[in-house]
Amino acid sequence: VVRQVNETAQLARIVHAENVYLAKVDSTHPLRLQSEVGRRLSAHATGVGKALLAQLGNAEVIERFGAGALPAYTANTIATTDALLDELELIRQRGFAIDNEEYTPGVFCIAVPVFEGSGKASVAVSVSVPTTRAQPDQLATILSVIAAASLQLSERCGVATSAPSLTALASPKQARKAIDTLIGSGRYALPFAS
């Protein structure tokens, strides 16, 4: 993934209400996401966390987070369980999650789940981009690349039938359409949407 997009990629799993980073490959840029393998972050404020939470039912999400306020790390962090449930429904519909400066100011992230043979997603893969470099064409390429990587990893894990949303997003044309839809939705204050 990193060889194709030259941005930091991460693999994470969810443990209760946190995601735990299992692997990370840095970009070659001097300005890049600073994170560490083994680090735990609140899943509601990260792309990989939300990509995995979207695979759960709402009742399980409420069980993990409670029904009230959530910790806010930046002005963009989802701050209530109700808002998180709304976002998770959108993630289920579009097939990918984002972190729009929700944990770290100046960092935008795109994440997709990776499915295993049982049909469940136990890990997710993400790419993080400093907002100063984030552009729609680049984000579409990243989305297409990580969707294709997820499909390859899922196949290695014994998945017989690919997730239709990931198959579609692996197409550069469909990935660009998905990014354009995200930008055009007006739901997010995206620093690169001008």
Side-chain angles (χ1 to χ4, degrees), residues 134-152:
Q135 295 298 318
D137 285 342
Q138 176 200 34
L139 297 175
T141 298
I142 288 169
L143 179 55
S144 176
V145 167
I146 64 171
S150 172
L151 291 169
Q152 291 171 356

Side-chain angles (χ1 to χ4, degrees), residues 114-127:
V114 177
F115 295 93
E116 54 190 45
S118 67
K120 294 183 179 182
S122 60
V123 296
V125 63
S126 70
V127 169

Side-chain angles (χ1 to χ4, degrees), residues 9 29 132:
H29 298 289
T132 56

Side-chain angles (χ1 to χ4, degrees), residues 1-181:
V1 170
V2 175
R3 277 194 296 258
Q4 292 177 279
V5 300
N6 196 24
E7 296 294 352
T8 300
Q10 300 180 109
L11 183 75
R13 96 170 30 255
I14 197 163
V15 176
H16 189 60
E18 297 176 314
N19 51 262
V20 180
Y21 293 101
L22 304 173
K24 173 191 168 199
V25 179
D26 283 322
S27 76
T28 61
H29 298 289
L31 178 62
R32 61 182 177 250
L33 176 69
Q34 297 300 311
S35 65
E36 300 162 7
V37 172
R39 186 166 183 203
R40 292 174 177 251
L41 299 178
S42 186
H44 79 283
T46 68
V48 288
K50 289 184 286 182
L52 291 168
L53 290 172
Q55 308 309 308
L56 306 175
N58 287 351
E60 188 169 349
V61 173
I62 292 168
E63 185 178 311
R64 290 174 186 235
F65 288 94
L70 300 171
Y73 302 98
T74 73
N76 289 355
T77 307
I78 295 171
T80 67
T81 303
D82 285 343
L84 175 61
L85 295 175
D86 289 344
E87 181 67 11
L88 296 178
E89 183 54 36
L90 292 173
I91 293 165
R92 291 176 190 118
Q93 292 170 18
R94 70 178 173 241
F96 66 97
I98 64 167
D99 168 353
N100 180 32
E101 302 183 87
E102 294 168 52
Y103 194 85
T104 304
V107 176
F108 185 84
C109 173
I110 299 176
V112 296
V114 177
F115 295 93
E116 54 190 45
S118 67
K120 294 183 179 182
S122 60
V123 296
V125 63
S126 70
V127 169
S128 298
V129 184
T131 55
T132 56
R133 282 199 303 271
Q135 295 298 318
D137 285 342
Q138 176 200 34
L139 297 175
T141 298
I142 288 169
L143 179 55
S144 176
V145 167
I146 64 171
S150 172
L151 291 169
Q152 291 171 356
L153 289 169
S154 295
E155 185 178 338
R156 289 181 184 172
C157 292
V159 172
T161 306
S162 299
S165 62
L166 290 173
T167 300
L169 292 170
S171 157
K173 185 175 181 178
Q174 290 300 316
R176 180 55 199 243
K177 183 177 176 184
I179 293 298
D180 288 344
T181 300

